Amino acid sequence: MTDDGVDLARARERLRARLADVERLLAGQTALAAEIAESGRDANVDDEHDPEGSTLAWERQQAAALATGAAAERERLLAALARVDDGTYGRCEVCGRPIPAGRLEARPAATRCVEHAR
Ligand SMILES: [Zn+2]
């Protein structure tokens, strides 16, 4: 526990668990994106005019968007783990006040208090 009442051991555990989830998701998305790209090449489709082609393009975009989101979340979680190690975890980066435990539980990678999150 820090003076702010943040249980760092639990926070680290939570962050690692989320990181594992995100990395699993990321690996799945990367594989899916490769699969979609592969099937697109095999069919030699015209993305603009072939109905199947536009579906593939859409799927490719969705996979890419998910992968981008997961990659960003992974960065946030890694940054949060680094803050646990350097002792700044659980403090708002704007006002420096402790972020409420409930908020950290819901959003372990939060860098700001509720007031400054907007
Ligand atoms: Zn704040």
Side-chain angles (χ1 to χ4, degrees), residues 15-24 74 77-78 81:
L15 288 165
R16 289 213 175 117
R18 290 218 178 185
L19 191 59
D21 283 348
V22 165
E23 282 180 342
R24 223 171 5 247
R74 183 172 175 274
L77 290 166
L78 286 173
L81 277 167

Side-chain angles (χ1 to χ4, degrees), residues 92-97 112-113 115-116:
C92 173
E93 66 181 2
V94 177
C95 63
R97 282 197 293 253
R112 296 179 175 197
C113 69
E115 195 185 331
H116 293 114

Side-chain angles (χ1 to χ4, degrees), residues 65-118:
L66 267 170
T68 304
E73 177 69 5
R74 183 172 175 274
E75 290 306 307
R76 281 194 290 272
L77 290 166
L78 286 173
L81 277 167
R83 290 198 300 278
V84 170
D85 288 337
D86 72 18
T88 58
Y89 181 76
R91 283 196 169 264
C92 173
E93 66 181 2
V94 177
C95 63
R97 282 197 293 253
I99 300 170
R103 175 167 169 75
L104 285 175
E105 229 155 274
R107 306 188 50 163
T111 58
R112 296 179 175 197
C113 69
V114 182
E115 195 185 331
H116 293 114
R118 285 179 227 121

Side-chain angles (χ1 to χ4, degrees), residues 39 43 45-47 49-59:
S39 62
V45 289
D46 180 339
D47 278 4
H49 304 106
D50 187 315
E52 200 183 330
S54 57
T55 305
L56 278 170
W58 184 83
E59 280 180 12

